[in-house]
């Protein structure tokens, strides 16, 4: 079993209103040192091992997990911890 | 300038309907090898350096960024890349 973690972020230059709201909220709570905030998501998949894992995960990202128009992604593959 | 990345996940045992939907969608697209999916988010903060950075970020997480009832978080601090 492998653990695949996909990190998805908005592309550079795409407006991130959620990040902007976080930055402004932190500033108004007194954390003036926060100059920018950007939000992304990650998806942890438990995947049974098989051939072409990297290629298959790439297709999963392109087809379902990320929106390639405005988002970019990267992923890591590691051994899943025993449950 | 420091780059602080906060990773927020649902606590173990908290239902993750978004992750479940992703897992079922991947299965129905033919990716039967995906046995579990869990979704989290991360927030990248550009923070001006100052004393007690770690303590201040911990308070930001508890007060605003994470919901400590159902979520847990961890964060990394690294040198921000020059723009």
């Amino acid at each position: 079993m492998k653990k695949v973690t996909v990190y998805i972020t908005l592309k550079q230059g795409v407006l991130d209103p959620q990040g902007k709201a976080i930055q402004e909220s932190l500033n108004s709570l007194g954390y003036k040192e926060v100059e920018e905030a950007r939000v992304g998501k990650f998806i942890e998949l438990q995947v049974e091992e098989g051939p072409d894992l990297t290629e298959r995960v790439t297709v999963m990202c392109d087809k379902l997990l990320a929106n390639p128009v405005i988002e970019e992604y990267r992923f890591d593959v590691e051994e899943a911890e025993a449950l």
Side-chain angles (χ1 to χ4, degrees), chain A:
Chain A
M1 190 75 88
K2 297 281 188 187
K3 176 176 157 189
V4 179
T5 308
V6 183
Y7 298 88
I8 300 168
T9 48
L10 289 169
K11 283 183 181 167
Q12 199 71 32
V14 176
L15 277 182
D16 179 359
Q18 196 187 356
K20 189 78 187 153
I22 287 173
Q23 182 227 318
E24 289 175 359
S25 299
L26 287 171
N27 291 166
S28 70
L29 284 171
Y31 299 101
K32 308 273 188 213
E33 70 266 42
V34 178
E35 302 203 345
E36 202 195 340
R38 287 185 74 82
V39 179
K41 63 183 167 179
F42 63 95
I43 303 168
E44 288 175 352
L45 303 172
Q46 303 289 332
V47 184
E48 210 161 304
E49 291 186 56
D52 307 323
L53 179 67
T54 307
E55 289 73 12
R56 288 177 71 86
V57 173
T58 305
V59 180
M60 289 181 213
C61 290
D62 287 328
K63 281 172 76 170
L64 185 79
L65 302 177
N67 173 352
V69 178
I70 56 167
E71 293 174 331
E72 58 196 6
Y73 62 84
R74 64 186 173 79
F75 59 85
D76 302 330
V77 179
E78 56 191 313
E79 227 28 79
E81 292 154 33
L83 297 176

